[in-house]
Amino acid sequence: MWDRPSHTTSASGEKTTLPLQLALTLDRESRLPLAVQIRNSLRKLIEDQTLWPGTRIPSSRQLALDIGVSRSVVVEAYEQLSAEGYLQTRHGSGTTVAERAGAPDSASRLVPPDPETAPEAMWDLRTGTSNVVDFPRQEWIRCMTAVVSDAGHQELGYSPPAGVPQARRVLAGYLGRVRGVRSRPEDLMVTAGFAQGLALICRVLLDRGHTTLAVEDPGHPGEREFVTSSGLRVIGIPVDEDGLRVDVLEQSGARAVLLTPGNQFPTGVRLCVPRRERLIAWAREVAGYIIEDDFDSAFLHRSDRLPALQSLAPDRVVYAGSASKTLAPALRLGWLAAPSELMASVEYVRAGWDIGCSGLEQLTFARFIDTGALDRYQRQLRTELHRRRQTIRRQTEACLPGARLTGGDSGLQAYVQLPPHIEEKALLRAARRRSVLTRGGSFYTLSDTARPPALVLSYATVACSGLGQSMLALGEAYREVGG
């Protein structure tokens, strides 16, 4: 069926990997497009680790000749696998299996299993993905090389559980500059992604007598399950076009709330200024805490971006973020900026859990910020994501008449509110039959079942050309179900 890669020795004495010969079996009687069959077969070989990271695969022209299909069919399969992070193409080096392809995310328990999964889909528009294809590898390698070259005994030893002091100083300055976060380096902790930060806060809340945690409805279903598993009871608070309903929160009995005020997930609305002020007043009145999940602020346009909620009340707001969306989940870098009296408890809990994150990774990230590489990368990616968002907006108007996008004009996903007569589940099924995977609004809903039907479309990993094609297919599905 396939051959292992062979090796040869170059003039410099280094081993090089020759392109793999693949004999993929295609079912030409299947209704599944050939490009999808090729993509699924290659993905399975990569996920099964039959094809190792760094393995060269045949050129699109060669594989097309080998299996007897048009080259454009193979190109389509390769492009989709590259967009998903399984393959990478470098000028002069051909196409290889990506270094981190198929690697499980250690925070995967924040992503619940999806009953709507259809592995044969050509376009995956589900949320929970990050753009890892454009990860700035060379910039990161340069920063890592410089850090390792300069590392002494202290840098190569154990790091403080709260994080390397230098990295905390750089991160505190960066968050103050770009988000208005008001925090001393001593009140900032580097965590193993957002998941660990949330786990720490939940544990501290439990220790302080909290029994509930309010969350947005709709919101992140994985986070709800995560909070519940920590021992806190989740209370859903509805969201409207101005953000979280603070008036409902005030009547809930909760003394802590987890929310995404900058760009509500998944609707994309912003918590308006009057509600921000009322939310802070509530936290002071009940001596409670606000956990601000600032997951995608780096991708918000200036017109859509407000300063972090934490900047208004550093004594009541725990600011949480990570590099998972801004760079790559595999880095497992997150941070908490908390009130001083709360951070002492967080550090006490953390000391009993582990001995901190990789100091070299922290210092590399700090250098990545200091050199301006993070700003440059985010600016580039923000521009690309804005183009994708505009594609979604135009295609929604053209292909889904009567539907509308909520929220601003940036972020990582689009919340498309559908006319009341559209049956959400029927539309999802019709979309799957056309090789489009997405989720409906009900997937994110806890108890607010009166919300109109909706689609949530992630464009984090699909380029504009793919979005255009997937929206045309969605349009066909929409007409089938009565749109």
Side-chain angles (χ1 to χ4, degrees):
M1 294 290 290
W2 54 82
D3 299 327
R4 291 286 189 186
S6 59
H7 296 83
T8 186
T9 303
S10 67
S12 63
E14 295 177 344
K15 286 188 176 180
T16 59
T17 304
L18 298 176
L20 200 71
Q21 296 182 9
L22 295 172
L24 303 178
T25 302
L26 303 179
D27 182 0
R28 299 179 188 274
E29 302 298 321
S30 171
R31 296 177 59 186
L32 205 61
L34 293 174
V36 177
Q37 293 187 48
I38 294 170
R39 188 201 66 186
N40 290 347
S41 297
L42 281 173
R43 186 200 284 123
K44 187 174 188 303
L45 292 176
I46 294 169
E47 290 179 342
D48 291 347
Q49 296 185 333
T50 302
L51 296 181
W52 306 320
T55 300
R56 285 188 63 186
I57 63 173
S59 67
S60 57
R61 188 184 304 278
Q62 185 61 55
L63 184 59
L65 288 172
D66 289 345
I67 61 179
V69 299
S70 166
R71 184 189 177 197
S72 63
V73 171
V74 180
V75 169
E76 182 178 336
Y78 279 13
E79 286 180 347
Q80 182 62 29
L81 286 169
S82 295
E84 294 174 5
Y86 287 91
L87 299 179
Q88 60 185 14
T89 301
R90 294 177 180 170
H91 182 67
S93 301
T95 301
T96 60
V97 177
E99 288 300 325
R100 297 187 183 274
D105 183 358
S106 60
S108 59
R109 55 181 173 159
L110 282 182
V111 183
D114 183 4
E116 304 287 343
T117 297
E120 69 275 11
M122 181 178 295
W123 298 290
D124 191 344
L125 306 182
R126 294 173 298 174
T127 57
T129 55
S130 302
N131 186 331
V132 296
V133 175
D134 297 318
F135 180 77
R137 290 175 171 82
Q138 294 307 313
E139 290 271 17
W140 187 264
I141 289 171
R142 278 193 287 270
C143 291
M144 174 64 86
T145 300
V147 165
V148 173
S149 298
D150 294 342
H153 292 292
Q154 184 175 352
E155 289 78 13
L156 293 174
Y158 290 108
S159 303
V164 177
Q166 180 184 343
R168 293 160 76 186
R169 284 194 297 272
V170 171
L171 187 54
Y174 171 77
L175 294 175
R177 171 169 60 86
V178 302
R179 298 298 294 131
V181 172
R182 297 159 55 194
S183 177
R184 304 179 306 161
E186 308 93 270
D187 294 329
L188 190 146
M189 173 181 285
V190 179
T191 61
F194 174 79
Q196 186 183 50
L198 180 58
L200 288 165
I201 294 299
C202 287
R203 172 63 183 273
V204 170
L205 291 176
L206 280 167
D207 290 346
R208 295 188 172 211
H210 290 251
T211 59
T212 61
L213 180 63
V215 298
E216 296 165 317
D217 187 8
H220 196 310
E223 286 184 3
R224 292 197 297 260
E225 293 184 10
F226 191 86
V227 171
T228 300
S229 68
S230 76
L232 292 170
R233 182 169 62 87
V234 167
I235 300 177
I237 307 297
V239 171
D240 62 20
E241 293 190 351
D242 288 323
L244 183 103
R245 290 274 307 275
V246 182
D247 59 322
V248 177
L249 173 64
E250 292 169 338
Q251 305 301 317
S252 70
R255 293 189 297 116
V257 60
L258 167 64
L259 76 164
T260 51
N263 188 38
Q264 201 276 328
F265 181 85
T267 66
V269 301
R270 317 288 186 259
L271 186 66
C272 67
V273 172
R275 290 196 185 173
R276 286 172 171 244
E277 295 171 349
R278 186 170 179 177
L279 179 63
I280 290 169
W282 162 83
R284 296 195 193 286
E285 182 178 344
V286 301
Y289 294 102
I290 302 164
I291 306 169
E292 178 178 13
D293 179 3
D294 201 27
F295 72 103
D296 71 344
S297 63
F299 306 127
L300 302 184
H301 272 251
R302 192 175 301 276
S303 59
D304 289 335
R305 194 185 312 158
L306 288 172
L309 187 64
Q310 189 267 2
S311 66
L312 302 178
D315 60 324
R316 289 289 119 197
V317 180
V318 178
Y319 178 89
S322 79
S324 295
K325 295 294 186 290
T326 54
L327 282 172
L331 295 178
R332 305 314 308 138
L333 284 172
W335 44 86
L336 292 176
S340 298
E341 57 89 18
L342 192 65
M343 182 55 76
S345 299
V346 174
E347 289 185 353
Y348 178 79
V349 172
R350 177 75 182 272
W353 284 11
D354 59 32
I355 53 175
C357 306
S358 164
L360 293 179
E361 292 281 1
Q362 293 178 54
L363 290 170
T364 300
F365 186 52
R367 187 176 182 88
F368 196 74
I369 293 172
D370 266 346
T371 59
L374 182 59
D375 285 335
R376 290 192 296 272
Y377 173 67
Q378 290 182 348
R379 191 178 300 116
Q380 171 190 343
L381 197 52
R382 189 161 52 239
T383 300
E384 171 60 22
L385 289 171
H386 182 67
R387 283 197 290 264
R388 296 180 188 181
R389 175 81 176 198
Q390 293 305 309
T391 298
I392 292 283
R393 183 174 292 281
R394 288 194 302 271
Q395 293 294 338
T396 295
E397 294 172 355
C399 303
L400 308 176
R404 69 179 185 91
L405 268 66
T406 64
D409 233 0
S410 49
L412 294 171
Q413 74 281 329
Y415 190 89
V416 183
Q417 188 169 302
L418 303 171
H421 69 276
I422 297 295
E423 186 182 346
E424 188 179 283
K425 290 185 177 180
L427 178 56
L428 295 177
R429 290 193 295 269
R432 287 204 308 280
R433 289 195 293 272
R434 289 164 174 81
S435 211
V436 180
L437 260 187
T438 186
R439 292 179 175 127
S442 59
F443 179 82
Y444 304 88
T445 300
L446 178 60
S447 57
D448 188 8
T449 55
R451 297 184 69 86
L455 292 177
V456 181
L457 310 176
S458 169
Y459 44 88
T461 61
V462 183
C464 289
S465 58
L467 288 174
Q469 296 175 55
S470 62
M471 290 300 291
L472 289 174
L474 268 178
E476 294 178 2
Y478 188 68
R479 290 190 291 275
E480 177 185 318
V481 300

